[in-house]
Amino acid sequence: MTVTIEDVAQRAGVSTATVSRVIAGKPYVRDALRIRVLDAIQELNYRPSRVARSLRVQRSSIIGLIISDIQNPFFTSVVRAVEDVAQQRGFSVMLCNSDESTDKEAAYIDLLLDEQVSGLIVSPTSTNTDIYRRLVEANVPVVAIDRRVENTPMDMVVGDNVQAAYEVVSHLIANGYRRIAAVLGVPDASTGAERYEGYERALNAHGIEVDPELVRQGMPRSESGHRSTLQLLQLQNPPDAIFTGNNLLTIGALRAIDEMGLRVPEDVAFAAFDEMEWMFLVKPALTVVAQPTYAMGKKAAELLLQRIADPSRPPQEVLLQPTIKVHESSRAK
Amino acid sequence: MTVTIEDVAQRAGVSTATVSRVIAGKPYVRDALRIRVLDAIQELNYRPSRVARSLRVQRSSIIGLIISDIQNPFFTSVVRAVEDVAQQRGFSVMLCNSDESTDKEAAYIDLLLDEQVSGLIVSPTSTNTDIYRRLVEANVPVVAIDRRVENTPMDMVVGDNVQAAYEVVSHLIANGYRRIAAVLGVPDASTGAERYEGYERALNAHGIEVDPELVRQGMPRSESGHRSTLQLLQLQNPPDAIFTGNNLLTIGALRAIDEMGLRVPEDVAFAAFDEMEWMFLVKPALTVVAQPTYAMGKKAAELLLQRIADPSRPPQEVLLQPTIKVHESSRAK
DNA sequence: ATCCCCAGTGTAATCGATTTCAGAAGAGGT
DNA sequence: ACCTCTTCTGAAATCGATTACACTGGGGAT
């Protein structure tokens, strides 16, 4: 039923080897034959089997992309970038959603290896895991995105979370806020840990002690942001400002503030990590740390393709600088 | 390097046929052998090559998912659902973003077929295309999601767009609005066409003539919604209400209203298609048509798996009812 | 004239699984 | 003892490409 390379060879009156050479654009084929083969391909509407090819060369032209939350616009933008780059370079993307589960992540890695993917881009659910060490040792091209992997030298594309959190919290302090709460993701993922570190450093640098009561860490999802913020706002001594650790936490936090009927920044100031398209709707405008999401995805894909092309190149860590956009939600007290 | 079925066979002292049978859970293998094989698999940490398997059985356990905009939360939710169902049933998902381009869509379909996918789920960029007819005729399992394909009997999962648009526009009319504008997606996609049809029918049913000036159709993206709405609001005789045809158009429209400094619903009432998580932030609350996005994705995946299992079953069209949530943005004049 | 080299081509092995078919071993019937 | 099933197992073909290797024929050097 399906037309194979054999059919093409027969039609063109050559061997399959020649057809293969023509398709691969290899030298050592007479123009006359090349044309006959191309014609035959056209006439038969031949499309090579990627599966057969993958089996033979022991590598598919698929790259695996494992992200921790497909419903998070941050990752969506990353996916889009990776897909764009991949497609342009003749690769396709197999997308997996680890859903913040380390087990799922590991299972997907195995699955993708079983599919003989050329490489992997992953936003690791946890910083400390030996999965990546094993991958790197087995010479599997892999790059981490958004979140760092520790103790394993590998390609990474991350934002400068410590610095960005430091700056934005310092800004809150400069504007007169002292009881600054942090609604963060769990520190298993490096983003959670680093954004906390930036927060802590900023407080310390300005002589403010960290009040553990004001630090909430949970799943980087809106429900968790909602719950944490409600708790914070109901404290005896509630915060005068809230710093949220990612876009979904921000949504939850804003909902909590909304439900409590509080005003920003009069009752509580606000500064958030991650920018989103609809944020212009929030009044007053939110002070945010904007990450170059598409650029991160693009860079990760490029790093991966480079490593696939040259597996021995030294691992590279790309640190992208977020932009801090100051608006009214954090204006001076 | 990698351990193959041959290695397992050797280790267990059996043939590859037996190993294969054990893996596939087929009958006619003595328990003693079965155990030896399972042990060998364990000891060698053997994982079968999905590529080799795909080549032999002429079908991979991948399903292709082509959506028109990966950055649209509607589709994100669909992707999530499809991925959940697929994963649970032992399939993986290859995600492609057609970016509203019919060419890209066609290219991805070819690509996925080259990968021997078991089936396809697509949100078609255009209602009229013979691609799907050819697929169906070639017995390729395929289901359309969100958008209809015409002239080809195939599995589909769509919302009742005509009805929902009719109801929500009727609601605007009932609340005293007469110059109701429609900011819609192009009618190439059935969603755009059907939501317009519902709009038109509602006006007609209430003796209002459609003013072509008030109907704007463009890419279902926020820039287009923004542009269209600005134009509408700057008309000599501007609309007293706006109905938007999807979530991204809504974002753009709201931005335009915001930029013009207008109030909802005093200056212009508002009703939107698609609900989004952050909508509680919009004040006053928006009247929206909420679609069961996850359910749509789930249903589509289930239909596809059923068709894969039984290619001859009659095509099924699943019509899901959206929910209309009335809020203050459309309150009576 | 002889030899060498190289561009151009084909034959056949190979990748790692599944599956057909043939045959062995043992149970049961006559 | 012989035949017939049934159950179990393995040898080998197969899927559709890529590629190592062998071979051919002609041009250039000697």
Side-chain angles (χ1 to χ4, degrees):
Chain A
M1 188 93 294
T2 48
V3 19
T4 74
I5 199 172
E6 196 98 30
D7 302 327
V8 175
Q10 207 144 13
R11 174 88 166 216
V14 299
S15 73
T16 62
T18 300
V19 177
S20 182
R21 287 188 192 105
V22 170
I23 292 171
K26 294 228 172 114
Y28 306 140
V29 179
R30 246 189 318 149
D31 279 354
L33 279 201
R34 188 180 300 276
I35 290 167
R36 287 223 310 270
V37 169
L38 290 174
D39 284 351
I41 287 175
Q42 191 101 62
E43 286 160 22
L44 297 175
N45 194 23
Y46 165 69
R47 299 192 56 98
S49 156
R50 308 196 93 174
V51 174
R53 175 166 203 291
S54 296
L55 177 59
R56 175 59 225 231
V57 305
Q58 296 286 289
R59 156 176 301 188
S60 73
S61 40
I62 299 174
I63 70 185
L65 176 57
I66 306 178
I67 58 180
S68 47
D69 183 359
I70 204 194
Q71 306 212 63
N72 182 331
F74 172 90
F75 288 116
T76 298
S77 180
V78 165
V79 172
R80 158 102 216 213
V82 170
E83 228 256 347
D84 283 352
V85 175
Q87 202 247 351
Q88 193 193 326
R89 300 277 297 272
F91 286 82
S92 16
V93 174
M94 208 144 120
L95 178 73
C96 309
N97 180 30
S98 70
D99 213 12
E100 300 291 356
S101 147
T102 306
D103 288 348
K104 268 194 167 189
E105 178 181 337
Y108 274 131
I109 288 176
D110 281 345
L111 177 79
L112 290 168
L113 293 181
D114 294 347
E115 292 281 4
Q116 310 261 44
V117 294
S118 287
L120 295 170
I121 299 177
V122 190
S123 69
T125 55
S126 169
T127 345
N128 277 305
T129 153
D130 51 349
I131 308 182
Y132 296 99
R133 174 187 303 285
R134 289 212 308 274
L135 288 178
V136 169
E137 279 168 3
N139 243 334
V140 175
V142 50
V143 1
I145 188 162
D146 183 45
R147 302 169 175 186
R148 226 174 262 282
V149 170
E150 246 143 53
N151 310 321
T152 303
M154 61 186 280
D155 293 313
M156 292 186 215
V157 179
V158 292
D160 193 344
N161 295 301
V162 177
Q163 178 65 15
Y166 178 87
E167 280 182 29
V168 77
V169 172
S170 295
H171 157 76
L172 286 172
I173 297 171
N175 275 2
Y177 300 96
R178 286 297 173 269
R179 277 189 67 72
I180 303 173
V183 176
L184 302 172
V186 287
D188 306 46
S190 70
T191 40
E194 292 175 1
R195 288 168 198 178
Y196 172 74
E197 187 183 335
Y199 163 84
E200 188 178 34
R201 279 203 206 166
L203 293 190
N204 287 343
H206 297 85
I208 306 177
E209 223 172 294
V210 173
D211 180 348
E213 205 176 48
L214 294 184
V215 177
R216 308 277 156 160
Q217 306 185 106
M219 278 289 112
R221 301 245 180 81
S222 68
E223 310 79 58
S224 153
H226 180 243
R227 196 178 334 108
S228 297
T229 306
L230 277 183
Q231 291 167 357
L232 285 168
L233 295 175
Q234 287 163 348
L235 286 177
Q236 289 254 302
N237 187 4
D240 59 3
I242 293 179
F243 163 57
T244 56
N246 88 349
N247 47 8
L248 303 186
L249 292 169
T250 301
I251 293 183
L254 289 174
R255 168 129 35 99
I257 292 173
D258 186 56
E259 287 167 5
M260 299 279 290
L262 300 178
R263 290 159 311 158
V264 172
E266 292 82 357
D267 299 320
V268 60
F270 204 93
F273 229 97
D274 293 333
E275 193 178 27
M276 304 227 265
E277 203 189 355
W278 44 263
M279 280 197 172
F280 69 89
L281 289 168
V282 183
K283 295 294 157 62
L286 292 186
T287 292
V288 294
V289 176
Q291 295 198 80
T293 53
Y294 189 89
M296 289 175 80
K298 184 156 183 262
K299 189 69 201 175
E302 284 165 356
L303 277 187
L304 183 65
L305 293 176
Q306 283 174 34
R307 174 151 310 279
I308 289 170
D310 171 15
S312 66
R313 69 199 292 275
Q316 197 176 333
E317 184 182 316
V318 176
L319 189 68
L320 294 175
Q321 289 300 332
T323 319
I324 296 184
K325 301 189 176 176
V326 173
H327 289 295
E328 294 79 52
S329 72
S330 62
R331 70 162 168 262
K333 229 178 178 172
Chain B
M1 191 92 294
T2 46
V3 18
T4 74
I5 198 172
E6 195 98 30
D7 302 328
V8 175
Q10 207 143 15
R11 174 90 168 215
V14 299
S15 74
T16 63
T18 300
V19 177
S20 182
R21 287 189 192 104
V22 170
I23 292 171
K26 295 227 171 115
Y28 304 139
V29 179
R30 245 190 316 151
D31 280 352
L33 280 200
R34 189 180 299 277
I35 290 168
R36 282 216 323 259
V37 169
L38 290 174
D39 285 351
I41 287 175
Q42 191 100 62
E43 286 160 22
L44 297 175
N45 194 24
Y46 166 70
R47 298 192 56 98
S49 155
R50 307 196 113 197
V51 174
R53 174 165 204 294
S54 297
L55 176 61
R56 175 60 226 229
V57 305
Q58 296 286 288
R59 158 176 300 188
S60 72
S61 40
I62 299 175
I63 72 184
L65 176 57
I66 306 178
I67 58 178
S68 47
D69 183 0
I70 204 194
Q71 306 212 61
N72 182 332
F74 172 89
F75 288 116
T76 298
S77 179
V78 166
V79 172
R80 157 101 215 213
V82 170
E83 228 258 345
D84 283 353
V85 174
Q87 202 247 349
Q88 193 194 325
R89 300 277 297 272
F91 286 81
S92 17
V93 174
M94 207 144 120
L95 177 73
C96 308
N97 180 29
S98 71
D99 213 12
E100 299 291 354
S101 148
T102 306
D103 289 348
K104 268 195 167 186
E105 178 181 338
Y108 274 131
I109 288 176
D110 281 345
L111 177 78
L112 290 168
L113 294 182
D114 294 347
E115 292 282 2
Q116 311 261 44
V117 293
S118 288
L120 295 171
I121 299 177
V122 190
S123 69
T125 55
S126 169
T127 347
N128 277 305
T129 155
D130 51 349
I131 308 182
Y132 296 98
R133 175 187 301 286
R134 289 212 308 276
L135 288 178
V136 169
E137 279 167 2
N139 244 334
V140 175
V142 50
V143 2
I145 187 162
D146 183 46
R147 302 168 177 187
R148 227 174 261 282
V149 170
E150 246 143 52
N151 309 320
T152 302
M154 60 184 281
D155 292 315
M156 292 186 215
V157 179
V158 293
D160 193 342
N161 295 301
V162 177
Q163 178 65 16
Y166 178 88
E167 279 183 30
V168 77
V169 172
S170 295
H171 157 76
L172 286 171
I173 297 171
N175 276 1
Y177 299 97
R178 285 299 172 271
R179 278 189 67 71
I180 302 172
V183 176
L184 302 172
V186 288
D188 305 47
S190 69
T191 41
E194 292 175 2
R195 289 168 197 178
Y196 173 74
E197 188 183 333
Y199 162 84
E200 189 179 33
R201 280 202 206 166
L203 293 190
N204 288 342
H206 297 85
I208 305 177
E209 223 172 291
V210 172
D211 180 348
E213 204 176 50
L214 293 185
V215 177
R216 307 277 155 159
Q217 307 186 103
M219 278 290 111
R221 301 244 180 81
S222 68
E223 309 79 58
S224 153
H226 180 244
R227 197 178 334 109
S228 298
T229 306
L230 278 183
Q231 291 168 357
L232 286 168
L233 295 175
Q234 288 163 349
L235 287 176
Q236 289 254 302
N237 188 3
D240 59 2
I242 293 178
F243 163 58
T244 56
N246 89 347
N247 48 8
L248 303 186
L249 292 168
T250 301
I251 293 182
L254 290 174
R255 169 128 35 100
I257 292 172
D258 185 57
E259 286 168 5
M260 300 278 291
L262 300 178
R263 290 159 310 159
V264 173
E266 292 82 357
D267 299 319
V268 60
F270 204 93
F273 229 98
D274 294 331
E275 193 178 28
M276 304 228 265
E277 202 189 355
W278 44 263
M279 280 195 171
F280 70 89
L281 289 168
V282 183
K283 295 294 156 63
L286 294 185
T287 292
V288 294
V289 177
Q291 296 198 81
T293 54
Y294 189 89
M296 290 175 78
K298 183 156 183 265
K299 189 70 202 173
E302 284 165 357
L303 277 187
L304 183 66
L305 293 176
Q306 284 174 34
R307 174 152 309 281
I308 290 171
D310 171 14
S312 66
R313 70 200 293 274
Q316 196 176 334
E317 184 182 315
V318 176
L319 189 69
L320 295 176
Q321 290 300 332
T323 320
I324 296 184
K325 301 190 176 174
V326 174
H327 290 295
E328 294 79 50
S329 72
S330 63
R331 69 163 168 260
K333 231 178 175 172

